[in-house]
Amino acid sequence: MHLSHDPAAAAAPIIGFDDFLKVDIRVGTIVSAEPYPEARKPAFKLRIDFGPTIGQKRSSAQITENHALADLPGRQVAAVVNFPPRQIGKFMSEVLTLGFADEAGAVMLFAPDRPVPNGARLF
């Protein structure tokens, strides 16, 4: 799977609504953020609380250009919670934290405009 950071990239092929429902996107609150200097590309190690049903999960996120480490705890983010865990160097990333590329191609985190309950599902 290749994700493009190019805003001019062509739209993905049309899928059915049932395909969309297979992707479980939830909101969570970052409870801790640490540097990840061993990563091949600059990244942070995040621990995100998705509420009592899903619990806390870890994510490696390449968000270092637009987000300061100290500003991340307490911030809500969206993440795909039903991909299999992925080994990123020595770190096991359990969810895919979502963002959009800015004009320079650096990732900006995606979050709701106002607080919502941890674990709420995108629909």
Side-chain angles (χ1 to χ4, degrees), residues 1 16 26 39 54 67 69 73 78 86 89-92 105 109 119 121:
M1 171 174 65
R26 305 284 180 126
I54 296 171
H67 300 282
L69 199 59
R86 186 171 174 201
K90 295 181 179 180
F91 184 76
M92 183 63 73
L109 287 170
R121 186 170 181 176

Side-chain angles (χ1 to χ4, degrees), residues 12-54:
I14 292 177
I15 62 170
F17 189 69
D18 289 343
D19 291 324
F20 169 73
L21 292 176
K22 292 176 186 176
V23 181
D24 192 356
I25 300 172
R26 305 284 180 126
V27 71
T29 300
I30 298 173
V31 294
S32 68
E34 301 174 23
Y36 189 21
E38 304 86 8
R40 220 173 344 115
K41 294 182 181 178
F44 294 143
K45 295 189 281 188
L46 308 177
R47 180 167 291 281
I48 306 167
D49 181 6
F50 292 98
T53 302
I54 296 171

Side-chain angles (χ1 to χ4, degrees), residues 49-66:
D49 181 6
F50 292 98
T53 302
I54 296 171
Q56 292 189 10
K57 300 290 182 182
R58 298 180 304 163
S59 181
S60 173
Q62 295 174 3
I63 57 173
T64 60
E65 291 184 48
N66 286 321

Side-chain angles (χ1 to χ4, degrees), residues 59-112:
S59 181
S60 173
Q62 295 174 3
I63 57 173
T64 60
E65 291 184 48
N66 286 321
H67 300 282
L69 199 59
D71 295 339
L72 293 172
R75 180 189 174 114
Q76 284 198 303
V77 295
V80 176
V81 299
N82 67 330
F83 285 153
R86 186 171 174 201
Q87 191 76 40
I88 310 290
K90 295 181 179 180
F91 184 76
M92 183 63 73
S93 189
E94 300 172 298
V95 299
L96 175 63
T97 305
L98 300 176
F100 290 98
D102 66 11
E103 292 170 351
V107 178
M108 292 291 302
L109 287 170
F110 180 68

